[in-house]
Amino acid sequence: MNSFKKRIALKEWILAAIFAAITAIMAQIIIQIPFSEVPITLQTLAVFLSAAVLGSRGAFLSQLTYILIGAAGLPVFAGLKGGIHVLIGYSGGYIWSFPVAAFLTGFILERKNNPSRIYMMIAMAVGLIVCYTLGTLQLAFILNLTLTKALLAGVAPFIPLDLIKLTVASLIGYEVRKALIRANLIKA
């Protein structure tokens, strides 16, 4: 039984590392918009995929791993940046939100046996609100913006694409989760 628990723990860490790497890769797909300091990336797609596939604990571990790797200076954040300065900069709040959003999304998904794609999207939308909240607060603080200006710069331009990312994450996450459950790599 003990080796079984170790194997499960090892599987969980391997999957968390894979999703940390996926988040790092997705961070490099950047669209800089002229009226916002915060770029559009596909990081949130990776965050929500991790929640759909790994559940609360694994998703939290994957995103915490991502942050720790970046904090150590490896260039995993958007634009191949790394270091603490990114985490305390204007877009750091969004990055800090990733483990919290991943955990909360995974937690909501774990409350329902075999969650539907729609349920996944709703859970991911709750997680996205966490990203927006923490990101906006740090953006406002660092750039000395009013909350309204921070929302206009750090949330409003991102909503349409983020809704598309949530849709894609729920569709892919649903199918990947089913496949991993069938392969006995994760629990239902």
Side-chain angles (χ1 to χ4, degrees):
M1 182 75 163
N2 195 18
S3 69
F4 177 74
K5 284 184 181 179
K6 285 182 185 175
R7 198 170 68 230
I8 295 297
L10 180 60
K11 265 197 262 186
E12 187 172 35
W13 275 110
I14 290 169
L15 288 169
I18 289 168
F19 274 93
I22 290 169
T23 306
I25 292 165
M26 297 296 217
Q28 306 319 314
I29 302 170
I30 301 169
I31 302 168
Q32 191 64 53
I33 47 180
F35 47 86
S36 177
E37 295 291 328
V38 182
I40 295 172
T41 70
L42 295 184
Q43 288 165 298
T44 51
L45 176 64
V47 170
F48 296 121
L49 273 175
S50 73
V53 173
L54 304 179
S56 59
R57 190 167 91 170
F60 176 84
L61 289 174
S62 73
Q63 298 310 308
L64 181 61
T65 300
Y66 170 71
I67 289 174
L68 292 174
I69 290 168
L74 290 166
V76 296
F77 300 138
L80 292 172
K81 294 178 185 166
I84 297 289
H85 69 283
V86 177
L87 294 171
I88 60 173
Y90 58 84
S91 64
Y94 298 99
I95 299 169
W96 286 116
S97 76
F98 294 167
V100 179
F103 178 86
L104 181 59
T105 301
F107 181 81
I108 293 168
L109 292 173
E110 291 166 351
R111 304 288 67 94
K112 187 166 177 120
N113 219 5
N114 295 321
S116 67
R117 290 173 187 92
I118 297 295
Y119 189 83
M120 280 189 173
M121 282 185 66
I122 292 167
M124 291 172 185
V126 172
L128 184 60
I129 290 168
V130 170
C131 290
Y132 285 159
T133 302
L134 295 177
T136 300
L137 291 174
Q138 187 162 328
L139 179 69
F141 178 75
I142 296 297
L143 296 181
N144 197 26
L145 300 173
T146 65
L147 197 53
T148 301
K149 285 184 180 180
L151 285 167
L152 289 172
V155 174
F158 300 90
I159 292 172
L161 188 55
D162 282 340
L163 293 176
I164 293 169
K165 288 188 269 186
L166 292 185
T167 302
V168 170
S170 65
L171 294 172
I172 293 171
Y174 182 84
E175 295 302 327
V176 170
R177 181 170 179 73
K178 277 185 7 184
L180 291 175
I181 289 169
R182 278 194 308 270
N184 204 26
L185 291 173
I186 61 172
K187 294 182 281 184

